[in-house]
């Protein structure tokens, strides 16, 4: 598949463990923050989003935490599975109209 | 319902040539955004079209252009290709335009290789 990033930071976890992927953002005016998952050969797939007036949002096996004070976003994946292996990107939307600013990405590797 | 489709999936061109990539959004979606993804620069916004009008443009040279048709399908064109244009070009569609957030759905991308 396509090479998403040759020198991405990598997080390696054991199957069944929890994963935490971090992201720093830069624009204080951003209103929405989104996490995407990209598997080899595919486009980014939406995981979860959070609005700037929230600090936590939960989905199925995933939780996003937002700390606006330090401009930090994290994605927590519970009971990580081999199918979670992918590159994860955070993105921010500043209400300028469907133009996302992406972080550099983190490669998650799940060991069976 | 069918997702975002992009054609072709793979393309090889030589320096100086031009290329046109196509994107068909999800049925009913009227906004199409284009992104370039490279190992060095990551995912970068190129431009966004809504109702056949370019509403936003990223920081790319004028060699990169696009358009949107009345059925919301979009094309992007790169003229006078350079080696550095080798990338995965991603298209994303969303339901509406405007300044408020809309979830974007990405296609599989077109892998362009410039030799």
């Amino acid at each position: 598949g396509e090479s998403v990033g040759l020198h991405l930071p990598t997080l390696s976890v054991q199957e069944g463990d929890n994963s935490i992927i971090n992201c720093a953002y830069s624009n204080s005016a951003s209103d929405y923050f989104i996490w995407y998952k990209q598997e080899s050969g595919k486009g980014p797939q939406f995981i979860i989003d959070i609005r700037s007036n929230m600090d936590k949002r939960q989905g199925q096996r995933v939780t996003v935490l937002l700390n606006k004070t330090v401009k930090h976003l994290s994605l927590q994946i519970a009971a990580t599975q081999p199918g979670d292996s992918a590159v994860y990107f955070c993105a921010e939307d500043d209400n300028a109209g469907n133009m996302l600013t992406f972080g550099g990405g983190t490669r998650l590797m799940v060991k069976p | 319902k069918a997702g975002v489709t992009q054609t072709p999936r793979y393309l090889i061109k030589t320096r100086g040539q031009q290329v046109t990539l196509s994107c068909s959004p999800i049925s009913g979606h009227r906004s199409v955004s284009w992104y370039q993804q490279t190992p060095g620069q990551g995912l970068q916004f190129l431009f966004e079209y809504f109702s056949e009008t370019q509403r936003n443009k990223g920081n790319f040279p004028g060699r990169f252009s696009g358009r949107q048709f009345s059925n919301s399908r979009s094309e992007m064109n790169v003229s006078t290709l350079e080696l550095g244009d080798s990338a995965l070009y991603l298209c994303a569609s969303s339901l509406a335009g405007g300044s408020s957030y809309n979830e974007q759905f990405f296609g599989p991308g077109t892998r362009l290789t410039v030799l």
Side-chain angles (χ1 to χ4, degrees):
Chain A
E2 289 87 358
S3 171
V4 173
L6 297 178
H7 303 292
L8 289 174
T10 298
L11 175 65
S12 186
V13 301
Q14 203 71 39
E15 181 180 357
D17 287 352
N18 296 334
S19 303
I20 300 176
I21 300 171
N22 297 302
C23 175
Y25 66 91
S26 57
N27 188 353
S28 301
S30 292
D31 194 33
Y32 273 92
F33 302 87
I34 311 103
W35 280 100
Y36 284 93
K37 171 186 180 183
Q38 188 174 24
E39 297 173 285
S40 182
K42 298 182 180 180
Q45 177 187 0
F46 172 91
I47 301 173
I48 191 168
D49 58 19
I50 187 169
R51 194 168 184 184
S52 60
N53 62 354
M54 303 170 67
D55 52 22
K56 180 179 180 178
R57 189 170 185 215
Q58 289 184 289
Q60 186 177 11
R61 279 201 310 119
V62 295
T63 300
V64 56
L65 299 177
L66 174 63
N67 185 330
K68 293 181 288 295
T69 303
V70 295
K71 295 182 187 172
H72 184 267
L73 191 67
S74 69
L75 176 71
Q76 300 177 2
I77 304 174
T80 314
Q81 302 168 1
D84 295 327
S85 294
V87 177
Y88 289 80
F89 293 95
C90 65
E92 50 188 302
D93 182 301
D94 64 358
N95 282 335
N98 293 338
M99 49 182 288
L100 299 174
T101 301
F102 282 85
T106 297
R107 187 181 306 277
L108 176 64
M109 298 178 62
V110 183
K111 296 176 286 188
Chain B
K1 100 179 140 175
V4 178
T5 57
Q6 293 186 244
T7 56
R9 290 295 311 277
Y10 301 91
L11 204 49
I12 299 175
K13 292 284 188 178
T14 56
R15 278 180 299 174
Q17 287 187 310
Q18 66 93 28
V19 67
T20 299
L21 312 180
S22 180
C23 171
S24 292
I26 292 171
S27 177
H29 284 194
R30 295 172 62 196
S31 170
V32 173
S33 298
W34 288 89
Y35 295 83
Q36 181 196 63
Q37 185 173 29
T38 60
Q41 299 298 318
L43 275 150
Q44 293 186 292
F45 173 79
L46 279 157
F47 28 64
E48 185 239 356
Y49 287 87
F50 177 75
S51 293
E52 302 177 64
T53 301
Q54 186 183 90
R55 294 196 311 138
N56 288 295
K57 191 175 192 305
N59 189 25
F60 280 82
R63 298 185 298 107
F64 291 81
S65 63
R67 59 178 176 169
Q68 186 180 34
F69 302 94
S70 57
N71 62 358
S72 295
R73 190 177 71 85
S74 177
E75 290 180 346
M76 67 163 283
N77 184 278
V78 189
S79 62
T80 320
L81 283 165
E82 301 176 359
L83 296 179
D85 297 334
S86 294
L88 181 67
Y89 290 89
L90 292 158
C91 160
S93 79
S94 58
L95 194 57
S99 59
S100 60
Y101 165 67
N102 293 279
E103 184 179 340
Q104 294 191 40
F105 297 82
F106 282 83
T110 294
R111 166 64 65 184
L112 172 65
T113 301
V114 182
L115 303 176

